Amino acid sequence: MPEATVLLVDDEPEMVLLWERILRGLPEVRFERAYSGEEAWEKVQRLLPEVVVADLKMPGLDGLELLARIRERDETISVLIVTGYGTIERAVEAIKKGAYDFITKPFEKERLRHMVERALERSLLLRENRRLKALKDDFWWEELGIIGRSPLMRELLSLVERVAPTNATVLIRGESGTGKELIARAIHHLSPRRSWRMVTVNCAAIPENILESELFGYVKGAFTGADRDKTGLFQEADGSTIFLDEIGDMPPSLQVKLLRVLQDGEVRPLGSTQSRRVNVRVIASTNQDLEKKMAEGRFREDLYYRLNEVTLWVPPLRERGDDVLLLAEHFLEEYAREYGRPGLRFSPEALEFLKAQPWRGNVRELKNAVKRAVLLARENTITPGDLKLSLRPGAPEARPFYLRPYHEAKREVMDEFARQYLEGLLRHTGGNVSQAARLAGLERPSFQRLLRRYGISAEKFRPAT
Ligand SMILES: Nc1ncnc2c1ncn2[C@@H]1O[C@H](COP(=O)(O)OP(=O)(O)OP(=O)(O)O)[C@@H](O)[C@H]1O
Ligand SMILES: [Mg+2]
């Protein structure tokens, strides 16, 4: 049996002590105590106990309300309600509301032990079932919207399966558009933390000075304008997973602070003297060359080693063989439905064309290409011509640009420049078009024209919620 946690809750400390003494002999069980409903709820979120033993009558958040919250968050937590003499009806109500069982005071030691043991068994079983169910079918990831059957993807996803149930910090690496965020979601989804929402932070999209208070929060008066306490994202992710997207772009000053949080498991809001313990699983991702950044002193080595307890490499699309076609069909179906074009198909030439592309923008580029083709296709079949329209020009060209006709070379270099410029800017502003236009010194409409010309959607740079 893996180690399990039992949370004991009563506003009378002596009772908590008494229960713990009775239960102490249970093997592989860790006990936690809380002396109010509020404290218990806070600990439930942070520690994900298997079993909660709670007194029914407590000032403030009482046993029944606590039960209701727990049931809503995670049905695998077993709640045992303890009632005093004369409150049996409410105990029955608790059962109806999903308590695992109740026990009336005064009770026999053996009975309490036995009940907690059974409750533990139930929780562990439910959690194991939940995990197995998620793994059950051959392509479980397709249920999460991840398409792929190539050997490299299977290998990656089998690593995901193995690392998900642990608490290991995971670093997800791979080229832009390969699906790193989807992989992060899959890890969270297969972990015991899945019933809590994963908190995603795009480290590149949030300006440096704001990122710190976003991550760690602040207390009232920490700086001008801080007119109330603000909870940081780390605290919000307590009991759950935080996904630090584009970690390679995190400014060095914050890297130090992040490292401290990872090492101590504590966050201290800006302007506060007190740290708070948090139980957060960290997943980070980047498409940057971290080794190079370290060599240049722009990424901290200690943070790098702390983050990469496990590194998962997401392969580029061009190494995934026929996955390209699976993905293309998948996106075609999706967009044909969305844009009301049922029956739309790829021509055989289009399929060949898709397979031959280098897909430097990976799945995201493929997805965009299919989307545009669905919008633009004149007939009921998509031709290579429909697909070509949105691809990056010049990709397969082997000759250096100065050995090609001047006008052609210039257009390609300019196109590439414009793309990189626009994408970089949007990444910086987190997909905020007005802000990007301002920084570019352009009117918003002309900026948007540029985006349209290069088929760039600002949306994909907005942080996922
Ligand atoms: N295997 C896949 N199956 C289905 N859709 C995918 C797959 N991989 C990626 N996608 C889709 O492609 C797009 C890009 O994926 P995602 O945002 O996860 O990439 P990324 O690796 O985080 O890119 P970046 O480094 O630019 O942030 C998303 O719309 C995602 O849903
Ligand atoms: Mg991403």
Side-chain angles (χ1 to χ4, degrees), residues 145-148 153 174-182 245-246 285-287 320 327 330-331 363-364 367 427:
I146 303 176
I147 306 298
M153 278 307 276
E175 291 175 15
S176 181
T178 46
K180 295 184 290 296
E181 183 160 352
L182 277 184
D245 201 3
E246 318 277 1
S285 95
T286 183
N287 53 26
R320 299 190 205 169
L327 280 159
H330 171 76
F331 295 136
V363 184
R364 181 178 294 123
K367 191 170 175 177
R427 198 166 291 127

Side-chain angles (χ1 to χ4, degrees), residues 242-304:
I242 197 166
F243 174 45
L244 303 172
D245 201 3
E246 318 277 1
I247 188 94
D249 295 300
M250 184 178 266
S253 63
L254 269 185
Q255 292 176 21
V256 193
K257 292 181 181 157
L258 174 63
L259 179 67
R260 227 173 288 139
V261 173
L262 296 182
Q263 280 168 343
D264 306 342
E266 294 185 345
V267 284
R268 199 170 69 209
L270 269 115
S272 169
T273 50
Q274 277 182 334
S275 300
R276 277 194 49 139
R277 285 209 73 72
V278 284
N279 166 15
V280 176
R281 203 254 178 105
V282 177
I283 304 178
S285 95
T286 183
N287 53 26
Q288 304 229 8
D289 185 344
L290 288 186
E291 287 71 18
K292 183 158 158 261
K293 287 202 112 172
M294 280 191 289
E296 294 165 357
R298 287 187 297 142
F299 199 84
R300 293 183 65 99
E301 224 170 308
D302 42 12
L303 178 60
Y304 171 80

Side-chain angles (χ1 to χ4, degrees), residues 434-465:
S434 308
Q435 197 188 347
R438 207 169 329 113
L439 288 170
L442 294 172
E443 296 293 334
R444 200 168 184 278
S446 0
F447 189 80
Q448 260 173 331
R449 230 175 356 259
L450 275 178
L451 293 184
R452 268 197 305 277
R453 168 163 354 140
Y454 293 101
I456 295 169
S457 118
E459 211 146 301
K460 73 179 198 206
F461 298 96
R462 296 195 184 124
T465 46

